Amino acid sequence: MTTPYKKPRKAELSEIQKQENQKLSSRRIGVEHLICRVKTFRVASERFRLARHRYNQVIMAVCGLVRLHLNYSFILSNET
């Protein structure tokens, strides 16, 4: 787990630290968007009502669907 650089008291961050924070932020946003897509299936955001031993199968299926959609979107964007 990586944490961003924090601005010290009465000082500024260097340009390299600012760039590193920006890279980290853009990566984090991408992950947050994927988590949001998984939560739209309501498996990870609400109470799971099936048997507990099925949770892993269901969440993996949802993640597979999200990844399939992501790959399909990536392929379509590269065709043009």
Side-chain angles (χ1 to χ4, degrees):
M1 190 160 156
T2 308
T3 57
Y5 292 102
K6 189 174 179 180
K7 182 181 143 231
R9 287 186 181 174
K10 299 182 182 179
E12 294 295 322
L13 291 176
S14 68
E15 287 299 317
I16 295 171
Q17 289 174 328
K18 287 181 183 180
Q19 290 173 359
E20 290 292 322
N21 282 351
Q22 189 172 11
K23 287 179 187 176
L24 180 64
S25 176
S26 64
R27 250 187 296 157
R28 191 186 79 238
I29 289 297
V31 171
E32 292 291 336
H33 285 295
L34 288 175
I35 290 171
C36 180
R37 286 186 181 188
V38 170
K39 285 186 174 184
T40 59
F41 285 90
R42 295 172 34 192
V43 173
S45 60
E46 292 185 2
R47 185 170 180 228
F48 189 68
R49 297 178 185 194
L50 296 175
R52 284 186 185 173
H53 68 278
R54 297 264 185 227
Y55 182 77
N56 193 32
Q57 292 173 337
V58 172
I59 198 74
M60 293 303 278
V62 168
C63 290
L65 288 172
V66 168
R67 189 171 190 179
L68 180 69
H69 182 267
L70 184 68
N71 289 342
Y72 183 72
S73 299
F74 179 74
I75 290 170
L76 285 181
S77 67
N78 285 340
E79 284 183 357
T80 58

PDB file of all heavy atoms in Angstrom, residues 8-9 15 21 23 28 38 40 43 48 58-59 69 76 78:
ATOM      1  N   PRO A   8       5.167  19.133   4.114  1.00  0.00           N
ATOM      2  CA  PRO A   8       5.692  19.434   5.447  1.00  0.00           C
ATOM      3  C   PRO A   8       5.291  20.847   5.885  1.00  0.00           C
ATOM      4  O   PRO A   8       4.966  21.695   5.064  1.00  0.00           O
ATOM      5  CB  PRO A   8       7.207  19.324   5.281  1.00  0.00           C
ATOM      6  CG  PRO A   8       7.472  19.298   3.834  1.00  0.00           C
ATOM      7  CD  PRO A   8       6.204  19.006   3.119  1.00  0.00           C
ATOM      8  N   ARG A   9       5.327  21.059   7.174  1.00  0.00           N
ATOM      9  CA  ARG A   9       4.983  22.386   7.699  1.00  0.00           C
ATOM     10  C   ARG A   9       5.946  23.437   7.177  1.00  0.00           C
ATOM     11  O   ARG A   9       7.159  23.241   7.156  1.00  0.00           O
ATOM     12  CB  ARG A   9       5.043  22.393   9.226  1.00  0.00           C
ATOM     13  CG  ARG A   9       3.916  21.655   9.864  1.00  0.00           C
ATOM     14  CD  ARG A   9       3.975  21.833  11.356  1.00  0.00           C
ATOM     15  NE  ARG A   9       2.885  21.075  11.954  1.00  0.00           N
ATOM     16  CZ  ARG A   9       2.710  20.924  13.247  1.00  0.00           C
ATOM     17  NH1 ARG A   9       3.573  21.467  14.082  1.00  0.00           N
ATOM     18  NH2 ARG A   9       1.707  20.238  13.692  1.00  0.00           N
ATOM     19  N   GLU A  15       8.806  19.056  -7.085  1.00  0.00           N
ATOM     20  CA  GLU A  15       8.087  18.707  -8.309  1.00  0.00           C
ATOM     21  C   GLU A  15       8.002  17.192  -8.491  1.00  0.00           C
ATOM     22  O   GLU A  15       6.995  16.664  -8.944  1.00  0.00           O
ATOM     23  CB  GLU A  15       8.758  19.346  -9.529  1.00  0.00           C
ATOM     24  CG  GLU A  15       8.538  20.838  -9.639  1.00  0.00           C
ATOM     25  CD  GLU A  15       7.062  21.183  -9.767  1.00  0.00           C
ATOM     26  OE1 GLU A  15       6.337  20.502 -10.525  1.00  0.00           O
ATOM     27  OE2 GLU A  15       6.637  22.139  -9.100  1.00  0.00           O
ATOM     28  N   ASN A  21       2.659  11.965  -6.481  1.00  0.00           N
ATOM     29  CA  ASN A  21       1.309  12.033  -5.925  1.00  0.00           C
ATOM     30  C   ASN A  21       0.255  11.996  -7.026  1.00  0.00           C
ATOM     31  O   ASN A  21      -0.791  11.367  -6.874  1.00  0.00           O
ATOM     32  CB  ASN A  21       1.128  13.297  -5.087  1.00  0.00           C
ATOM     33  CG  ASN A  21       1.762  13.176  -3.718  1.00  0.00           C
ATOM     34  OD1 ASN A  21       2.188  12.111  -3.314  1.00  0.00           O
ATOM     35  ND2 ASN A  21       1.816  14.282  -3.009  1.00  0.00           N
ATOM     36  N   LYS A  23       0.575  10.571 -10.030  1.00  0.00           N
ATOM     37  CA  LYS A  23       0.523   9.202 -10.563  1.00  0.00           C
ATOM     38  C   LYS A  23      -0.266   8.283  -9.636  1.00  0.00           C
ATOM     39  O   LYS A  23      -1.082   7.489 -10.079  1.00  0.00           O
ATOM     40  CB  LYS A  23       1.937   8.650 -10.745  1.00  0.00           C
ATOM     41  CG  LYS A  23       2.699   9.244 -11.894  1.00  0.00           C
ATOM     42  CD  LYS A  23       4.088   8.651 -11.951  1.00  0.00           C
ATOM     43  CE  LYS A  23       4.952   9.342 -12.975  1.00  0.00           C
ATOM     44  NZ  LYS A  23       6.329   8.824 -12.972  1.00  0.00           N
ATOM     45  N   ARG A  28      -5.239   5.338  -8.200  1.00  0.00           N
ATOM     46  CA  ARG A  28      -6.270   5.135  -7.192  1.00  0.00           C
ATOM     47  C   ARG A  28      -7.661   5.383  -7.766  1.00  0.00           C
ATOM     48  O   ARG A  28      -8.604   4.647  -7.490  1.00  0.00           O
ATOM     49  CB  ARG A  28      -6.026   6.059  -5.993  1.00  0.00           C
ATOM     50  CG  ARG A  28      -6.896   5.712  -4.800  1.00  0.00           C
ATOM     51  CD  ARG A  28      -6.765   6.719  -3.677  1.00  0.00           C
ATOM     52  NE  ARG A  28      -7.560   7.877  -4.013  1.00  0.00           N
ATOM     53  CZ  ARG A  28      -7.104   9.120  -4.114  1.00  0.00           C
ATOM     54  NH1 ARG A  28      -5.840   9.377  -3.921  1.00  0.00           N
ATOM     55  NH2 ARG A  28      -7.905  10.113  -4.426  1.00  0.00           N
ATOM     56  N   VAL A  38     -18.204  -2.893  -9.576  1.00  0.00           N
ATOM     57  CA  VAL A  38     -18.553  -4.117  -8.858  1.00  0.00           C
ATOM     58  C   VAL A  38     -19.751  -3.857  -7.941  1.00  0.00           C
ATOM     59  O   VAL A  38     -20.661  -4.675  -7.829  1.00  0.00           O
ATOM     60  CB  VAL A  38     -17.345  -4.655  -8.056  1.00  0.00           C
ATOM     61  CG1 VAL A  38     -17.750  -5.778  -7.125  1.00  0.00           C
ATOM     62  CG2 VAL A  38     -16.257  -5.125  -9.001  1.00  0.00           C
ATOM     63  N   THR A  40     -22.183  -1.884  -8.404  1.00  0.00           N
ATOM     64  CA  THR A  40     -23.449  -1.738  -9.107  1.00  0.00           C
ATOM     65  C   THR A  40     -24.201  -3.058  -9.165  1.00  0.00           C
ATOM     66  O   THR A  40     -25.422  -3.063  -9.323  1.00  0.00           O
ATOM     67  CB  THR A  40     -23.260  -1.207 -10.542  1.00  0.00           C
ATOM     68  OG1 THR A  40     -22.425  -2.109 -11.267  1.00  0.00           O
ATOM     69  CG2 THR A  40     -22.670   0.174 -10.537  1.00  0.00           C
ATOM     70  N   VAL A  43     -23.585  -6.860  -4.923  1.00  0.00           N
ATOM     71  CA  VAL A  43     -23.085  -8.007  -4.157  1.00  0.00           C
ATOM     72  C   VAL A  43     -22.169  -7.507  -3.048  1.00  0.00           C
ATOM     73  O   VAL A  43     -22.229  -7.979  -1.919  1.00  0.00           O
ATOM     74  CB  VAL A  43     -22.320  -8.984  -5.081  1.00  0.00           C
ATOM     75  CG1 VAL A  43     -21.660 -10.076  -4.280  1.00  0.00           C
ATOM     76  CG2 VAL A  43     -23.268  -9.575  -6.088  1.00  0.00           C
ATOM     77  N   PHE A  48     -25.402  -9.938   1.746  1.00  0.00           N
ATOM     78  CA  PHE A  48     -25.427 -11.104   0.866  1.00  0.00           C
ATOM     79  C   PHE A  48     -26.451 -12.086   1.404  1.00  0.00           C
ATOM     80  O   PHE A  48     -26.393 -12.500   2.546  1.00  0.00           O
ATOM     81  CB  PHE A  48     -24.039 -11.747   0.801  1.00  0.00           C
ATOM     82  CG  PHE A  48     -23.919 -12.810  -0.236  1.00  0.00           C
ATOM     83  CD1 PHE A  48     -23.964 -12.495  -1.577  1.00  0.00           C
ATOM     84  CD2 PHE A  48     -23.781 -14.135   0.127  1.00  0.00           C
ATOM     85  CE1 PHE A  48     -23.854 -13.475  -2.549  1.00  0.00           C
ATOM     86  CE2 PHE A  48     -23.664 -15.127  -0.833  1.00  0.00           C
ATOM     87  CZ  PHE A  48     -23.709 -14.792  -2.168  1.00  0.00           C
ATOM     88  N   VAL A  58     -19.904 -16.034  -6.350  1.00  0.00           N
ATOM     89  CA  VAL A  58     -20.693 -14.926  -6.890  1.00  0.00           C
ATOM     90  C   VAL A  58     -19.820 -13.695  -7.108  1.00  0.00           C
ATOM     91  O   VAL A  58     -19.884 -13.053  -8.166  1.00  0.00           O
ATOM     92  CB  VAL A  58     -21.889 -14.607  -5.962  1.00  0.00           C
ATOM     93  CG1 VAL A  58     -22.602 -13.344  -6.399  1.00  0.00           C
ATOM     94  CG2 VAL A  58     -22.847 -15.783  -5.920  1.00  0.00           C
ATOM     95  N   ILE A  59     -18.986 -13.353  -6.144  1.00  0.00           N
ATOM     96  CA  ILE A  59     -18.153 -12.156  -6.280  1.00  0.00           C
ATOM     97  C   ILE A  59     -17.136 -12.333  -7.399  1.00  0.00           C
ATOM     98  O   ILE A  59     -16.840 -11.391  -8.138  1.00  0.00           O
ATOM     99  CB  ILE A  59     -17.482 -11.764  -4.944  1.00  0.00           C
ATOM    100  CG1 ILE A  59     -16.998 -10.306  -4.973  1.00  0.00           C
ATOM    101  CG2 ILE A  59     -16.326 -12.640  -4.612  1.00  0.00           C
ATOM    102  CD1 ILE A  59     -18.056  -9.299  -4.862  1.00  0.00           C
ATOM    103  N   HIS A  69     -16.342  -6.658 -19.458  1.00  0.00           N
ATOM    104  CA  HIS A  69     -16.832  -5.385 -19.993  1.00  0.00           C
ATOM    105  C   HIS A  69     -15.686  -4.408 -20.209  1.00  0.00           C
ATOM    106  O   HIS A  69     -15.627  -3.694 -21.203  1.00  0.00           O
ATOM    107  CB  HIS A  69     -17.873  -4.783 -19.047  1.00  0.00           C
ATOM    108  CG  HIS A  69     -18.458  -3.512 -19.545  1.00  0.00           C
ATOM    109  ND1 HIS A  69     -17.959  -2.280 -19.203  1.00  0.00           N
ATOM    110  CD2 HIS A  69     -19.488  -3.280 -20.391  1.00  0.00           C
ATOM    111  CE1 HIS A  69     -18.658  -1.344 -19.804  1.00  0.00           C
ATOM    112  NE2 HIS A  69     -19.601  -1.928 -20.529  1.00  0.00           N
ATOM    113  N   LEU A  76     -12.815  -2.078 -28.224  1.00  0.00           N
ATOM    114  CA  LEU A  76     -13.567  -1.166 -29.089  1.00  0.00           C
ATOM    115  C   LEU A  76     -12.880   0.184 -29.220  1.00  0.00           C
ATOM    116  O   LEU A  76     -12.878   0.776 -30.298  1.00  0.00           O
ATOM    117  CB  LEU A  76     -14.984  -0.958 -28.524  1.00  0.00           C
ATOM    118  CG  LEU A  76     -15.961  -2.121 -28.727  1.00  0.00           C
ATOM    119  CD1 LEU A  76     -17.303  -1.750 -28.138  1.00  0.00           C
ATOM    120  CD2 LEU A  76     -16.103  -2.475 -30.187  1.00  0.00           C
ATOM    121  N   ASN A  78      -9.704   0.745 -29.162  1.00  0.00           N
ATOM    122  CA  ASN A  78      -8.480   0.608 -29.956  1.00  0.00           C
ATOM    123  C   ASN A  78      -8.752   0.329 -31.428  1.00  0.00           C
ATOM    124  O   ASN A  78      -7.853   0.435 -32.250  1.00  0.00           O
ATOM    125  CB  ASN A  78      -7.596  -0.493 -29.385  1.00  0.00           C
ATOM    126  CG  ASN A  78      -6.887  -0.062 -28.132  1.00  0.00           C
ATOM    127  OD1 ASN A  78      -6.746   1.126 -27.876  1.00  0.00           O
ATOM    128  ND2 ASN A  78      -6.457  -1.020 -27.354  1.00  0.00           N
TER     129      ASN A  78
END
